[in-house]
Amino acid sequence: MAKKIVAGNWKMNKNLQEGIELAQSLNEALAADKPNCDVVICTPFIHLAKVSDIINHDIINLGAENCADKASGAYTGEVSAEMVKSTGAEYVILGHSERREYYNETPEILKEKVDLALANGLKILFCIGESLEQREANEQNAVVKAELEGSVFHLTAEQFANIVIAYEPIWAIGTGKTATAEQAEEIHAYIRSVVAAKYGEEVAANTSILYGGSCKASNAPELFAKPNIDGGLIGGASLKVDDFKGIIDAWK
Ligand code: PGA
């Protein structure tokens, strides 16, 4: 059975003090009312070390939102997978559509990042998803398959066990437009079938496939009730404890 996961993606929000406060409040709320799923918060790099010290890692796992495509050296401004790992983080988000689109991250670059993250013992929240134009042209299945083939299907089955897939239709990210639970389930089932064709049924059944894109406490129960939706990757609604906890509680 795939692990149930609710992961937050803070994006470029919260200064250090605000981030510490959010992590502290979330930690208290979840210590008092234990989640029925794995919980991950992915923060900007600058928060990682401090937040790692604050949270109980038995209840909340920590992740970065990106890492470099180079191991170390003269790459001004970059943060390596090894550095991320050294903060106490367990995860890294790779392949987010905002990174692909605004920072020109190609499948080849992402493949380098994936390899370095795994070599440094990080688990990966790997994002895939189509644009509105691609959805309208009914190309979504081809797009998500190509994104997996381009950056993670070179891995061995053993390595692939460290990949969590996040399906995030670009037209639903931060727009308030959620894919319907049926739309999401349909493509999640397809994604699982693509993983099964590559790695076999057992690996596919054990792969967590999260939905992302305007997921909130009000729509999470319906989405998470679907057999192929193993949780969510949450942007906007991860920035307030009550909103995020409301989504986590959808697993209760
Ligand atoms: P959103 O973002 O929940 O704000 O739509 C999701 C994501 O981009 O991970």
Side-chain angles (χ1 to χ4, degrees):
M1 269 284 280
K3 261 200 224 172
K4 308 306 178 200
I5 302 173
V6 172
N9 173 11
W10 290 4
K11 307 193 180 181
M12 198 170 73
N13 294 293
K14 306 283 174 193
N15 66 26
L16 182 58
Q17 289 73 28
E18 291 165 347
I20 289 170
E21 209 180 296
L22 174 57
Q24 237 154 12
S25 312
L26 182 68
N27 195 62
E28 275 165 29
L30 296 184
D33 182 18
K34 297 251 158 47
N36 263 353
C37 62
D38 284 13
V39 173
V40 185
I41 51 175
C42 298
T43 79
F45 292 129
I46 64 136
H47 298 76
L48 291 173
K50 284 254 187 184
V51 168
S52 182
D53 285 346
I54 289 168
I55 56 174
N56 177 349
H57 289 252
D58 291 334
I59 303 177
I60 305 176
N61 286 147
L62 180 63
E65 300 172 13
N66 184 25
C67 69
D69 61 339
K70 303 284 192 301
S72 68
Y75 300 101
T76 303
E78 288 295 303
V79 176
S80 71
E82 187 191 355
M83 293 172 186
V84 168
K85 180 70 180 178
S86 74
T87 66
E90 293 103 344
Y91 281 87
V92 61
I93 296 174
L94 292 175
H96 195 282
S97 57
E98 289 153 15
R99 299 291 322 170
R100 293 180 192 261
E101 189 179 340
Y102 308 145
Y103 300 96
N104 304 317
E105 294 195 0
T106 63
E108 295 72 32
I109 291 172
L110 290 170
K111 195 173 166 194
E112 297 297 323
K113 294 187 178 201
V114 163
D115 288 343
L116 286 162
L118 293 181
N120 285 284
L122 291 167
K123 293 190 170 102
I124 298 169
L125 292 160
F126 190 75
C127 304
I128 56 178
E130 80 286 355
S131 66
L132 184 60
E133 211 179 12
Q134 289 164 332
R135 167 68 62 166
E136 281 169 351
N138 201 30
E139 290 167 1
Q140 63 273 16
N141 287 5
V143 169
V144 295
K145 183 166 188 255
E147 286 177 330
L148 291 170
E149 287 171 347
S151 306
V152 293
F153 274 6
H154 64 291
L155 301 174
T156 65
E158 199 185 329
Q159 290 173 316
F160 192 80
N162 296 300
I163 304 287
V164 171
I165 297 172
Y167 167 68
E168 301 201 308
I170 297 168
W171 46 274
I173 296 176
T175 58
K177 257 192 220 168
T178 326
T180 64
E182 289 68 34
Q183 271 176 327
E185 169 61 16
E186 192 183 349
I187 193 156
H188 278 232
Y190 172 74
I191 292 164
R192 203 177 299 285
S193 77
V194 170
V195 174
K198 171 73 187 171
Y199 292 107
E201 294 292 341
E202 197 185 333
V203 170
N206 289 332
T207 301
S208 302
I209 308 177
L210 313 185
Y211 170 80
S214 299
C215 183
K216 38 190 187 285
S218 57
N219 56 30
E222 197 189 345
L223 287 160
F224 297 177
K226 296 293 182 194
N228 285 294
I229 302 181
D230 302 307
L233 179 57
I234 319 300
S238 72
L239 297 172
K240 285 196 188 133
V241 173
D242 290 350
D243 293 349
F244 194 49
K245 186 165 180 299
I247 298 171
I248 292 166
D249 288 346
W251 283 118
K252 292 197 168 166

